[in-house]
Amino acid sequence: GKRESKTVDVPRHADLPFVRDLFSSVLYKDRFRDETRCSPTLRIDRTTNDLSIFLESDSRTDLDNAEQSLLQIFQADESIKSHLRNAYIVNQPVAPPADMSMSYGQWGPNSVREEMNVTNEQAGVVIGKGGENIRKLQADHRIKIQIHREPDGGTQRTVHFEGPREKIDAAKEDIKKLLAEVDQKQRDREARGIAPWEGYRPRGCSASLMIRNNHVGIVIGRKGESIRSVEERYQCKVIIQRDSEVTGDEREVEVRAMTQESANDARDYIQYLIESTLAASGEHYSFADRNGTALESRSRTGPPASWRGGPSPGPQAMYPP
C-alpha cells in the first residue's frame, strides 16, 4: 500500500546541535524506527539552517505517535539528553582510525564493503542494549558496521560492513559466536519451560481479544511498559494486528503462551487494563474474542488472580509508547 509521510519541524528553541547529532546517528535512528515503526530522515534547510524530521510509515497512527515522541525529544531535559549523547553520539565511532590514510578513502586502501543477513531478533542481539554490542564490535575491529531495516518491513535485516576484509571477517565471526551464545541460552530456557527470547511465539496455546483501534496505545503503554510487563509476567507473546491488516474500527490482540491458563490470564489482564483506563473517563466497551464470543467484563471481576505487580491501569496508559 501507499506509504504515509509527515514532516515535523524542529522548533528553534530546541537544542538544535543535539537533535542534529542524534538523528545523524544510525544506532538511534534504528532504535527510533523499531519503537515507532516510522523511518526518520533529518533534513536541513541550507538557506535558513532550520531542521526538520521527515517521517515515513505504513500507518497514519504510527506517524502521529512518532510525532509525539519527537516533541518529547525536542523538550528533553539535560539528564535525558546526556543519557542519549552517551548512548548514541559520544561513544559511537564516526571518524576513521588514526592509522588509516584518508587519501585512500575513509577506511584505508584495503577497504571493502560486505553484507550479512540476520533476522529482526538477531539484529537486536547484535545491536545490544543501548547499542553497546555494535559499538564494541566497531571499536574492537576498527571498522564501520550499520544495520538497516529492509524496505518491505519484513523479518530480515542486513548488516553492512566497511573496512579491511580481514577485520570484517573477524567481526563476522564474533557476531556468529554472540548469536550462538544467545541461542544456546534460549535453548536452556526452553528446556526449563521458560519462554525464549523476544520475538519467539510459543505455539499451541492462544487467546484472543478484539479491541478498538484507539485502544492500541493502552495495550502498549508508555514506551512499551504495559505490553512488556504482560509478556514477562505470563511468559507469553502479545501480537497486535497490524494496521495494514485492519479493515474496520476493530483489530485482534492475540496472546500465545506455553499454557492455556497463561494465555487466558494475559488476555484477561489486557482487557482489565483497557476497561480500567476507559472507566477513568466514563467510557465503556463490550469485548469479545475473534469468534465473536462475548467476554465477561473485568471491571466487575478485577484482574486475574494470577496477576502480581502489573502496570497500574489508569489514564496515563492512554499516552502512546
Side-chain angles (χ1 to χ4, degrees), residues 11 35 125 174 183 222 254 265 318:
E35 291 185 347
V125 173
D174 281 356
D183 184 62
R222 190 190 297 272
E254 182 184 8
D265 282 354
M318 289 295 288

Side-chain angles (χ1 to χ4, degrees), residues 223-263:
K223 296 183 179 179
E225 290 177 355
S226 295
I227 196 169
R228 279 199 303 273
S229 293
V230 173
E231 290 183 328
E232 291 172 3
R233 173 63 185 84
Y234 291 105
Q235 295 296 302
C236 67
K237 184 67 180 175
V238 179
I239 305 160
I240 302 175
Q241 191 174 14
R242 295 176 178 271
D243 286 353
S244 58
E245 301 169 344
V246 175
T247 56
D249 58 0
E250 282 192 329
R251 69 183 66 202
E252 180 185 349
V253 175
E254 182 184 8
V255 179
R256 299 182 183 178
M258 296 295 185
T259 67
Q260 191 61 52
E261 180 182 11
S262 293

Side-chain angles (χ1 to χ4, degrees), residues 172-231:
K172 286 182 176 180
E173 286 302 312
D174 281 356
I175 289 174
K176 291 176 182 178
K177 290 177 183 177
L178 177 63
L179 295 177
E181 289 173 4
V182 172
D183 184 62
Q184 185 58 52
K185 288 180 181 179
Q186 302 314 322
R187 292 177 185 275
D188 293 342
R189 287 170 61 86
E190 286 184 63
R192 298 196 305 269
I194 302 174
W197 64 357
E198 182 180 358
Y200 178 83
R201 297 182 174 182
R203 294 184 174 87
C205 301
S206 69
S208 64
L209 176 72
M210 300 303 296
I211 66 172
R212 293 188 67 87
N213 293 329
N214 60 0
H215 295 164
V216 173
I218 303 176
V219 178
I220 296 174
R222 190 190 297 272
K223 296 183 179 179
E225 290 177 355
S226 295
I227 196 169
R228 279 199 303 273
S229 293
V230 173
E231 290 183 328

Side-chain angles (χ1 to χ4, degrees), residues 16 21 70 105 158 211 288 306 321:
L16 300 185
D21 292 345
L70 287 176
T158 303
I211 66 172
S306 59

Side-chain angles (χ1 to χ4, degrees), residues 24-85:
S24 297
S25 164
V26 174
L27 294 179
Y28 183 76
K29 289 198 292 184
D30 276 347
R31 170 186 167 176
F32 188 90
R33 187 181 299 113
D34 289 340
E35 291 185 347
T36 66
R37 296 188 289 274
C38 293
S39 299
T41 302
L42 176 68
R43 290 183 172 177
I44 304 175
D45 187 318
R46 296 302 179 186
T47 303
T48 64
N49 287 326
D50 287 339
L51 305 181
S52 61
I53 308 295
F54 179 72
L55 300 172
E56 282 189 298
S57 178
D58 294 326
S59 161
R60 175 59 57 176
T61 299
D62 288 342
L63 283 177
D64 293 339
N65 290 343
E67 181 178 13
Q68 293 303 312
S69 296
L70 287 176
L71 295 180
Q72 292 177 10
I73 292 171
F74 300 157
Q75 299 169 6
D77 60 27
E78 284 304 319
S79 63
I80 294 176
K81 288 192 288 187
S82 176
H83 169 75
L84 292 174
R85 282 193 188 98

Side-chain angles (χ1 to χ4, degrees), residues 89-100 102 105-108 138-139 142-145 162:
I89 301 173
V90 176
N91 295 325
Q92 181 182 349
V94 293
D99 60 353
M100 291 188 179
M102 289 295 289
Q106 185 177 14
W107 301 101
Q138 291 184 102
R142 309 186 76 177
I143 61 174
K144 182 178 180 180
I145 305 174
E162 184 176 354

